Amino acid sequence: MSKKDIKVPNIGEFKDVEVIEVLIKNGQKIKKNDPLITIESDKSSVEIPSSDDGTVISLNVKIGDKVSEGDKIIEIESEKETKETSAQELTKNQSSKKIKKNEVKKGNATENIIVKDFSAKASASPKVRKFARELGVNINKVPGSERQGRVTESDVKLFVATKSYKSFKDQTTTKQKIELEYSHSDFGEVDIKDIPRVKKLSSKYLINSWTKIPHVTNHDEADITELEEFRTSLTDVYTGEKKKITPLAFIVKALTASLKKFPNFNTSIDEIENGKMTVKRYYHVGVAVDTPHGLMVPKLRNADNKNISLISTELKKISQQCRDLKIDKKDLFGGSMTITSLGGIGGSFFTPIINYPEVAILGVGKAEKKQVFIDGKFVSRTMLPLSLSYDHRIIDGAEAARFNNELKENLGKNFAYKLAV
Ligand code: CAO
């Protein structure tokens, strides 16, 4: 047994570049050429493979770190006798498809490093290629979202949507272009900063949603007076201390109950042209989390089968994982419907953008005490602002208003969630 450091080899012009994926864990057995990390420059991304077999005993990089040649990625324990580990050991037999390997010097050790460059020949299934051809799209220009840049049908759709938006924008922003003839710095001092990676990634989903989905937002208010009395009275049975459960856990529960009555809200339309929609039988509620890196939307899986305490615990866990960039990528996909709550920050109504490919999103504002006219007199009630945006292709305004009524019922004084703490 011997210990060995695996370092970043010579990677041409990639210097001080960001780690965007860590593909291995502590304790994991790895083989020579297994991908360890993915790094990304402005133009392309690169997977760094292992130069040896062994078991990972320490992980020296995390997502967001900047690395250059010679930086230690991991330490491994090898069963073999120690051999000199160097970039020169990297072999040419990388099984993964090479997409482009310019930027790598001839005879250099990094020949088998995969450089993904979108101008190179795309990797895609014959079905996806046919689909792109039918839409008149050059598949080699489509950025692939799968590992090693493989292009999926959704990537092609997103590419088309983004292009249509761009040409629409080009046609409609002539005036703005004239204004942009001036540089920002013509008017004073400015700083140029990198747009955070999470924001860059989410922008394509936001544009896709905004340009493809005809959004409508219904606003309403739920009377959560009794819910708030109940929530703030909760104490831990063992310690007697107040339980720290925010209204959001109750809203998740009320939402899943509403989704069960209104299955249209738990659907996705992948292709309106083929006349099909997917009705989900699961209830995975997405929750928008504000992180220093940008907005992320992890899913609370099977929220219908979980009690309020468990939902609250999981909510804290997944939001922290997002903030630490430790969330599994898969946990950001596969949702039923999303809740975006600004209740802890402030504000009442807003117009949330649907988290594509879902068909609805619930915006929640800050609950406030208000004077409400009930049975001929004003009474003080705690009112929660709701902003429900929906895809008008599938959901009609009347159905949305009924959905809000159901939601208000589930958050209201006959709250069934009481049984579910
Ligand atoms: N009305 C009144 N008070 C509320 C409330 C509401 N609707 N929602 C939360 N609060 C209170 C909580 O009870 C908590 O009070 P205490 O400090 O007294 O315990 C406080 O506000 C802070 O709550 P929180 O925001 O930390 O927790 P949460 O469970 O409500 O939210 C999370 C968790 C992850 C959703 C939140 O931290 C967050 O990131 N919010 C922002 C989401 C966002 O950016 N959405 C916009 C997307 S569109 O760009």
Side-chain angles (χ1 to χ4, degrees), residues 231 244 246-248 287-290 295 315 319 323 340-345 364-367 384:
R231 182 182 75 84
K244 210 162 167 51
T246 65
L248 188 55
V287 177
V289 179
D290 178 35
L295 192 71
L315 195 57
S319 7
R323 289 175 180 134
T340 171
S341 171
L342 292 174
I345 304 168
V364 177
K366 188 175 175 64
L384 180 73

Side-chain angles (χ1 to χ4, degrees), residues 28-88:
Q28 186 176 330
K29 277 195 166 53
I30 53 165
K31 288 211 156 43
K32 187 169 178 168
N33 283 333
D34 278 355
L36 303 176
I37 54 171
T38 310
I39 55 177
E40 187 179 69
S41 75
D42 286 347
K43 293 185 198 131
S44 43
S45 55
V46 166
E47 268 179 10
I48 305 288
S50 174
S51 54
D52 216 327
D53 302 348
T55 304
V56 181
I57 52 172
S58 83
L59 203 54
N60 294 73
V61 289
K62 59 180 185 317
I63 292 172
D65 283 356
K66 298 263 169 92
V67 293
S68 301
E69 181 185 353
D71 287 345
K72 182 168 158 183
I73 306 172
I74 49 169
E75 189 178 4
I76 59 166
E77 197 156 58
S78 170
E79 281 169 21
K80 289 187 284 177
E81 276 306 299
T82 313
K83 271 197 264 156
E84 188 57 36
T85 306
S86 73
Q88 275 71 19

Side-chain angles (χ1 to χ4, degrees), residues 222-240:
D223 184 338
I224 59 163
T225 313
E226 285 79 11
L227 186 156
E228 277 301 86
E229 280 164 10
F230 175 67
R231 182 182 75 84
T232 49
S233 71
L234 291 172
T235 49
D236 189 291
V237 272
Y238 300 110
T239 62

Side-chain angles (χ1 to χ4, degrees), residues 356-369:
Y356 182 92
E358 294 163 19
V359 295
I361 181 165
L362 178 70
V364 177
K366 188 175 175 64
E368 305 269 17
K369 280 211 180 329

